[in-house]
Amino acid sequence: ESAEGSIWEALSFASHYKLDNLVAIFDINRLGQSEAAPLEHDMDVYRKRVEAFGFHTMVVDGHSVEEILKALEEAKSVKNKPCALICKTYKGHGSSDVADKLDFHGKALNSLSDKILAEIKGKMHGAEEQPRPKINDDAPQIVDKPVAFKSALEYEQGKMIATRVAYGDALVKLGEASDKVVVLDADTKNSTYALKFKNAFPGRYIECFIAEQNMVGVSLGCGARNRTIPFCSTFATFFTRAMDQIRMAAVSQSQLNMVGSHCGVSIGEDGPSQMALEDIAAFRAIPNLVYFYPSDAVSACRAVELAANYKNMTFIRTSRPATPVIYANDETFEIGKAKIVKESAEDKVLVIGAGITLDSAMKAHSSLQGKGTNIRVMDPFTIKPLDKEAVLKHAKECGGRVVTVEDHYPEGGIGEAVAAVLSNADFITKHKMLAVREIPRSGPPAVLLDMFGISANKVEDAVMDLIE
């Protein structure tokens, strides 16, 4: 495992913050799964590498309890830097049949079992006593109660505010409501607006620098046993670097709140390397994860508040461009419940958009209404879980005609989530999916929205195609 980059991200982080209460233990057993590890038992190289990362480093015999205890005692006296034990071990130690031999990784011992167990037991002394250390459970009790903003939101409807800015506002309100809230960021705090929380509560902000795998790991540690409510943020596309940690966090049923900004082509001039266009697909596949996609400042704040009270994992997708405040400050939101923002009895097509594309849908609504055509506009709020009942109800009321528009690739996005719901409809449906269908380029946001088929004009065209 020490070949993984995330290990060295963690070593760098621990050294930077002079974590002298940390002891990292490396089990250097020479063998990998299919062949020897690159450095095998070159303990001096391991030692020098870890020392280069600022650790007080001790090489020990990993099979000697006495040496390990002595090293741990030494670690207690080290100040202003973390410690590391580099333990030389042998895979299968204790049995001459398997020790330091390949081809036993992950395999049952089968016919060798009895012989090996007898060999190991023959080396044990006083095992029948089974000593157990006394557990000193002095950790403070956790008072698990809902967290809610103490003060009302004060946004003005129609005002242009980016959801990423509202995320920063919401963090400050949460921080005022609970001292359990901690925030982490990967050197993008002035773009994600986590900076607002840092300025308000510097003691509860952790800068993780450009090391997203480690940021997720630290966040998971902060949230362990529900001792804090952690939020970690960076550009949405950079979370893909930490997908292994995120996937395993779900397997462990961990608490983790992630916020990804700068999604889609709407970020404009920063270009495709910064444009998250795969994140909905990736995070929809994570078990027990709630995927929020707020479309204005009010819904962004409520998404943060709901995430703080959700006991598994959440992802909030925030946008770079400013969009109009749609909702009243006291509007209530629920996980898995969509909002209908434009509706009439004459609606011909249901248009579903989120974030910047809800704005495209709203503009298309105004334009089409002026031409005598009414459409219904839905804000899903959460893409996972999707409000299936609302999709089917409003699709049916609009004659089965549906347009989805998203700032994301078509694979695994909003359109496919809606298509899965429509596949179970007991009425005939016609569905047009507007999405980014090629690798984008740098340019002004409005130009890119139109170029890649998700602008208000493209929504209008899709609506008219369905009607005609």
Side-chain angles (χ1 to χ4, degrees), residues 120-438:
I120 293 172
K121 287 178 179 179
K123 299 175 182 178
M124 297 170 68
H125 302 283
E128 65 281 354
E129 297 176 14
Q130 294 288 309
R132 293 286 185 269
K134 184 179 178 181
I135 297 174
N136 183 21
D137 189 6
D138 58 354
Q141 292 297 311
I142 300 169
V143 180
D144 195 12
K145 59 183 179 181
V147 180
F149 298 153
K150 288 185 174 180
S151 57
L153 301 181
E154 297 180 344
Y155 295 115
E156 179 185 342
Q157 283 182 293
K159 188 174 182 180
M160 303 293 287
I161 301 174
T163 52
R164 62 180 176 135
V165 176
Y167 166 62
D169 296 339
L171 288 179
V172 174
K173 284 186 173 293
L174 270 187
E176 292 168 347
S178 172
D179 59 7
K180 288 178 64 177
V181 177
V182 297
V183 174
L184 306 88
D185 198 276
D187 195 26
T188 55
K189 57 187 174 292
N190 56 338
S191 294
T192 62
Y193 282 84
L195 181 61
K196 290 190 173 190
F197 186 90
K198 180 186 178 184
N199 291 339
F201 306 101
R204 286 190 272 149
Y205 173 83
I206 303 172
E207 178 56 61
C208 295
F209 307 100
I210 305 174
E212 292 82 5
Q213 294 182 69
N214 186 62
M215 178 181 71
V216 169
V218 175
S219 300
L220 290 166
C222 288
R225 300 179 69 192
N226 298 318
R227 297 216 170 270
T228 72
I229 303 171
F231 283 82
C232 61
S233 51
T234 184
F235 289 9
T237 193
F238 298 154
F239 272 109
T240 59
R241 299 170 179 172
M243 284 307 295
D244 181 37
Q245 284 74 16
I246 293 165
R247 174 183 168 274
M248 290 308 298
V251 171
S252 303
Q253 301 179 52
S254 301
Q255 180 189 20
L256 177 64
N257 299 308
M258 297 166 282
V259 182
S261 71
H262 290 64
C263 54
V265 301
S266 59
I267 72 169
E269 290 82 359
D270 283 3
S273 67
Q274 314 288 297
M275 296 171 174
L277 290 160
E278 313 87 357
D279 56 301
I280 297 177
F283 287 102
R284 277 182 63 216
I286 300 296
N288 300 321
L289 181 140
V290 170
Y291 190 104
F292 295 94
Y293 195 173
S295 297
D296 82 336
V298 173
S299 59
C301 286
R302 297 307 178 192
V304 172
E305 190 177 34
L306 287 165
N309 291 283
Y310 186 68
K311 296 308 178 187
N312 286 298
M313 299 170 65
T314 69
F315 188 92
I316 303 174
R317 193 184 212 224
T318 63
S319 302
R320 183 182 190 183
T323 51
V325 176
I326 301 169
Y327 299 105
N329 288 307
D330 59 355
E331 182 80 21
T332 58
F333 289 82
E334 297 178 55
I335 292 172
K337 294 296 182 183
K339 295 288 185 180
I340 299 298
V341 293
K342 294 292 181 181
E343 182 178 15
S344 77
E346 291 78 36
D347 294 335
K348 302 296 184 184
V349 178
L350 172 64
V351 179
I352 303 173
I356 192 67
T357 61
L358 184 69
D359 187 56
S360 295
M362 298 278 279
K363 289 174 179 175
H365 174 274
S366 297
S367 177
L368 287 165
Q369 192 174 49
K371 300 171 185 176
T373 300
N374 289 319
I375 62 172
R376 191 164 302 182
V377 179
M378 176 184 285
D379 171 7
F381 183 56
T382 55
I383 311 305
K384 180 187 177 184
L386 188 64
D387 191 342
K388 299 175 182 178
E389 292 77 12
V391 170
L392 290 172
K393 174 182 182 294
H394 293 283
K396 188 172 186 177
E397 291 178 5
C398 294
R401 293 177 289 270
V402 180
V403 172
T404 52
V405 54
E406 59 188 307
D407 199 356
H408 188 274
Y409 289 135
E411 292 81 9
I414 297 171
E416 289 196 350
V418 170
V421 174
L422 295 177
S423 69
N424 292 312
D426 59 2
F427 53 91
I428 296 173
T429 63
K430 294 181 179 180
H431 178 199
K432 278 192 171 290
M433 293 170 51
L434 304 183
V436 179
R437 295 185 177 274
E438 58 184 293

